[in-house]
């Protein structure tokens, strides 16, 4: 029987070693799980000498640097060369440090994360998958954070009240499931998941996975915090090893120091311009150098957070005194004390370590940047923004300025913005456009209210929204413009894809630091440069803004605000988690069918996508968030924002069976109803952006069998594999042009699918002519078993069935 921290029966180990008949993935799962249980037990013993709790909410689970250091010593002896910080943290969390193959960019690592975090939108599907596993409780520290389902409309208090009412069914489902399965639950109004994590759960050297692409925010506290899909989270919650392709490591050497108008945000805005949205794919961004010391802990969090926009697996800074100060300010001084002991050994890179690429940024020379529109890597130094805007005919009048979000909502961010607001107050001027403020957490909200910061922002016209994601993820009931109206907004958010914030494809969204946003709303003019340009005071005099200032941490300490945490009961097995079969928002999952051992022959192309295709294009957010727990209903948004190459339109494709034009989801449902599977053809960096696994679940649910593209974003490629889909890339990217939307696609030789071996794809054109091309993949052996089983969850359930069968047989034998 599974127990938290307990061991499995020894007979399972004997069975795992002896049997030769079960599939490789099931045999591997058995071995890994036994190893995990013994490791859990040893952790308890080894941490007994220095019992420092993981968090104040988990007093009986401890930071275990001793075990991590032991693992790292084993690996260092094997590799015999200096290691980067990223490698130290990853390799110290290996499931099998003695035998794991380690090769950057090639081998798959089996890892043991320290905890799991999920936001409410993604948690619904993750919890539904966990329920399907049949386990009685989670076996790894796990939390759920309600931040995505609160729509910005009027103000924080009113919007929160409205959201609690509208989403009562979902919040109740998550709260009761959390109580039943041993999950910590942060109620609506608590704050944005990543701010809660850095304030309470992240710590130097932690390996944390979260079902949100901006989980890397925790790298500001010296840990590896990685965004994943819900199926990955289920693996870890079930105490199975988590698999990650061994990342390359891109080093960013920071010299000089930040000052004046230049903020931490400008470092990642600059880097995004250098590396582009796909430049960090398959790599961890590791910052180092003397410039690190001039950045606050939360500033480092900002930089790591937005590393998701360049495709990085995650980002991390080395442990330093700034992090120690933040740990102390958030009542975790004991972790800082312990981290000091392991700083050189575990929490900083070795001298002489090698990076796959090094980027140099001189902070003294760095100037404020504004990135956009429509993509976060279109970088403009502030002095050149106006010129670019005029040249490209971007709307110059700023309609809305927005500060906050998970990226820039710290006490320091709010304080620096308030220092600019105070200058405006002194001169009798206010914002010339709408101005919104999103606190990152209840703790930040309460503290900026106490210290008068929020009031200063209100005095220039600011509207303080709920402690939630809001407009950053499209949860914005925007009323100041008409749908389709061409306009400009500027925010301190992280992501600015087309339609991202307000579902309007003609909104030109720009990303900057909170300082720049606050300064620019005072003029409402995209060409304004606060470093050089003057403002007009109420009395008609001219003045220039002084550079912003603000404390890194509150001198009076943080005000915790309202207690919004629900601790799970010690025993929740008797609790029930009900899902109404008639619900429009929640739906229990049915397992996907397993592979029938046949090739995929003459499949129609549902859509050949032209240009950028993010997870927003595949599964839109905004109003669709309410269906994140109902797979069939949310599938009605599948590919509705993707542009069809055949007609250059979104959500309009030709039905290959009827030759009629229709909406993408409707056409997919028609195929499914006729028993016809289909494929999708895509371009480069397919699936960039959010970690939402719905972008993989929906195609699988509606009949997809393969996604064929030039290249994938990391998280989405894994999500596709987890759901039993073939994630394939063109061996020759030019072959993308050979395929026409009305072609038929065959994927052949699937019975010989093997790691590193390409598959053949036969293209049948409308005139009956055919040609064959090669498609590549990154499946390893266990992932191939996911495909054969129909999904990773199916493979896991097979493992548990086999486990229980063997336990029963052993009992009968002993009797």
């Amino acid at each position: 029987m599974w127990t938290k921290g307990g061991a499995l029966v020894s007979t399972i180990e004997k069975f795992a070693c002896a049997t030769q008949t079960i599939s490789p993935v099931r045999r591997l799962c058995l071995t890994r799980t036994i190893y995990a249980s013994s490791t859990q037990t040893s952790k308890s013993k080894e941490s007994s000498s220095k019992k420092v709790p993981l968090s104040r909410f988990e007093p009986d689970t401890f930071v275990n640097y001793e075990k991590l250091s032991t693992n790292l010593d084993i690996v260092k002896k094997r590799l015999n060369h200096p290691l980067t910080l990223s490698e130290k943290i990853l390799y110290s969390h290996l499931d099998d440090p003695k035998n794991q193959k380690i090769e950057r960019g090639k081998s798959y690592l089996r890892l043991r994360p320290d905890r799991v975090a999920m936001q409410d939108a993604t948690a619904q599907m993750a919890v539904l998958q966990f329920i399907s596993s049949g386990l009685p409780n989670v076996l790894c520290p796990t939390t759920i954070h309600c931040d995505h389902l609160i729509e910005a409309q009027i103000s924080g208090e009113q919007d929160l009240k409205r959201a609690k009412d509208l989403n009562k069914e979902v919040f109740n489902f998550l709260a009761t499931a959390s109580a039943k399965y041993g999950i910590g639950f942060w109620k609506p109004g608590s704050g944005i998941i990543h701010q809660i994590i850095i304030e309470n759960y992240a710590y130097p050297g932690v390996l944390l996975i979260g079902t949100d692409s901006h989980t890397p925010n925790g790298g500001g506290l010296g840990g590896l915090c990685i965004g994943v899909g819900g199926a990955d989270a289920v693996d870890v919650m079930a105490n199975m090893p988590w698999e990650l392709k061994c990342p390359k490591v891109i080093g960013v050497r920071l010299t000089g120091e930040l000052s004046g108008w230049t903020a931490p945000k400008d470092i990642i805005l600059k880097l995004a311009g250098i590396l582009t949205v796909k430049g960090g794919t398959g790599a961890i961004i590791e910052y180092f150098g003397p410039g690190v010391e001039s950045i606050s802990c939360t500033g480092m969090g900002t930089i790591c957070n937005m590393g998701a926009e360049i495709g990085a697996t995650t980002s991390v800074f080395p442990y330093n005194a700034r992090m120690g100060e933040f740990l102390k300010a958030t009542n975790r001084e004991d972790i800082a004390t312990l981290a000091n002991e392991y700083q050189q050994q575990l929490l900083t890179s070795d001298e002489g370590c090698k990076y796959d690429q090094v980027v140099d940024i001189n902070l003294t020379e760095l100037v404020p940047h504004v990135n956009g529109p429509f993509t976060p890597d279109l970088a403009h130094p502030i002095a050149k923004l106006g010129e670019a805007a005029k040249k490209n005919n971007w709307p110059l009048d700023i309609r809305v300025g927005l500060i906050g979000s998970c990226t820039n909502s710290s006490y320091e961010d709010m304080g620096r913005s308030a220092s600019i607001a105070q200058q405006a107050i002194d001169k009798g001027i206010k914002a010339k456009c709408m101005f919104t403020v999103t606190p990152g957490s209840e703790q930040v909200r309460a503290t900026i209210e106490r210290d008068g910061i929020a009031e200063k922002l209100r005095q220039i016209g600011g509207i303080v929204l709920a402690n939630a994601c809001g407009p950053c993820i499209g949860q914005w009931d925007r009323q100041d413009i008409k749908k389709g109206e061409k306009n400009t907004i500027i925010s301190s958010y992280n992501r600015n894809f087309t339609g991202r914030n307000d579902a309007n494809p003609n909104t030109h969204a720009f990303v900057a630091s909170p300082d720049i946003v606050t300064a620019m709303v005072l003029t409402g003019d995209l060409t304004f440069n606060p470093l050089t340009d003057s403002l007009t005071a109420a009395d008609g005099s001219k003045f220039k803004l002084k550079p912003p200032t603000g404390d890194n941490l509150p001198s009076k300490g943080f005000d915790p605000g309202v207690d919004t945490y629900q601790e799970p009961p010690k025993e929740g097995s008797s609790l029930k988690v009900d899902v109404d079969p008639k619900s429009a928002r929640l739906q229990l999952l049915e397992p996907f069918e397993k592979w029938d051992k046949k090739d995929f022959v003459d499949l129609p192309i549902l859509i050949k996508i032209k240009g950028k295709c993010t997870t927003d294009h595949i599964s839109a957010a905004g109003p669709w968030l309410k269906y994140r727990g109902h797979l069939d209903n949310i599938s009605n948004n599948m590919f509705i924002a993707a542009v069809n190459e055949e007609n250059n339109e979104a959500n309009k494709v030709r039905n290959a069976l009827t030759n009629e034009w229709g909406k993408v989801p409707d056409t997919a449902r028609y195929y499914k109803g006729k028993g016809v599977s289909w494929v999708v053809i895509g371009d480069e960096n397919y699936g960039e952006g959010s970690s939402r696994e719905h972008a993989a679940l929906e195609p699988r649910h509606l009949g997809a069998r393969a996604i064929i593209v030039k290249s994938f974003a990391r998280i989405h490629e894994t999500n596709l594999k987890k759901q039993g889909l073939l994630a394939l890339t063109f061996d020759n990217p030019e072959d993308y042009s050979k395929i026409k939307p009305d072609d038929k696609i065959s994927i052949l030789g699937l019975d010989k699918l093997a790691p590193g071996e390409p598959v053949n794809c036969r293209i049948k054109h409308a005139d009956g002519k055919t040609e064959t091309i090669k498609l590549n993949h990154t499946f390893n052996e266990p992932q191939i078993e996911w495909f054969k089983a129909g999904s990773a969850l199916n493979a896991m359930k097979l493992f548990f069935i086999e486990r229980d069968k063997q336990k029963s047989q052993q009992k009968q034998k002993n009797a």
Side-chain angles (χ1 to χ4, degrees), residues 753-780:
L753 186 64
E757 295 295 326
V759 298
N760 288 324
C761 172
R762 185 181 67 213
I763 307 167
K764 181 186 289 186
H765 299 299
D767 61 6
K769 294 180 180 179
T770 65
E771 54 185 315
T772 301
I773 62 174
K774 285 187 178 181
L775 301 175
N776 298 324
H777 64 85
T778 60
F779 283 84
N780 59 23

Side-chain angles (χ1 to χ4, degrees), residues 566-609:
Q566 172 188 292
E567 182 178 2
K570 294 187 181 298
E571 173 54 52
S573 60
S574 61
L575 298 175
K576 291 185 177 180
V577 181
D578 293 325
V579 175
D580 186 346
K582 298 179 181 179
S583 172
R585 300 196 58 178
L586 295 168
Q587 180 187 47
L588 292 175
L589 296 175
E590 295 290 334
F592 294 129
E593 69 278 9
K594 65 180 182 179
W595 177 53
D596 63 4
K597 300 183 181 180
K598 297 178 182 178
D599 287 341
F600 300 145
V601 178
D602 289 342
L603 304 189
I605 297 169
L606 176 67
I607 181 172
K608 183 183 180 187
I609 298 166

Side-chain angles (χ1 to χ4, degrees), residues 724-763:
L725 283 163
L726 287 177
L728 305 170
T729 56
F730 295 105
D731 181 62
N732 178 3
E734 297 301 318
D735 287 342
Y736 168 88
S737 300
K738 292 181 178 179
I739 298 177
K740 306 306 176 186
D742 58 353
D743 287 343
K744 297 290 180 63
I745 300 297
S746 297
I747 302 172
L748 308 174
L750 290 178
D751 59 327
K752 298 180 178 63
L753 186 64
E757 295 295 326
V759 298
N760 288 324
C761 172
R762 185 181 67 213
I763 307 167

Side-chain angles (χ1 to χ4, degrees), residues 592-644:
F592 294 129
E593 69 278 9
K594 65 180 182 179
W595 177 53
D596 63 4
K597 300 183 181 180
K598 297 178 182 178
D599 287 341
F600 300 145
V601 178
D602 289 342
L603 304 189
I605 297 169
L606 176 67
I607 181 172
K608 183 183 180 187
I609 298 166
K610 180 180 179 181
K612 184 186 283 283
C613 187
T614 70
T615 48
D616 284 81
H617 291 86
I618 306 167
S619 175
W624 292 95
L625 284 171
K626 63 183 174 220
Y627 298 121
R628 285 284 182 88
H630 197 293
L631 179 55
D632 193 57
N633 283 348
I634 198 171
S635 293
N636 288 322
N637 77 356
M638 187 186 70
F639 292 114
I640 62 175
V643 176
N644 181 11

Side-chain angles (χ1 to χ4, degrees), residues 411 418 444-456 551 553-559:
Y411 183 84
V444 167
R445 183 209 62 78
T447 306
I448 65 172
E449 290 286 3
R450 181 199 67 191
D451 293 351
I453 290 172
E455 183 56 31
K456 290 179 181 179
D551 294 333
L553 297 165
S555 58
K556 300 177 185 178
F558 283 108
D559 182 337

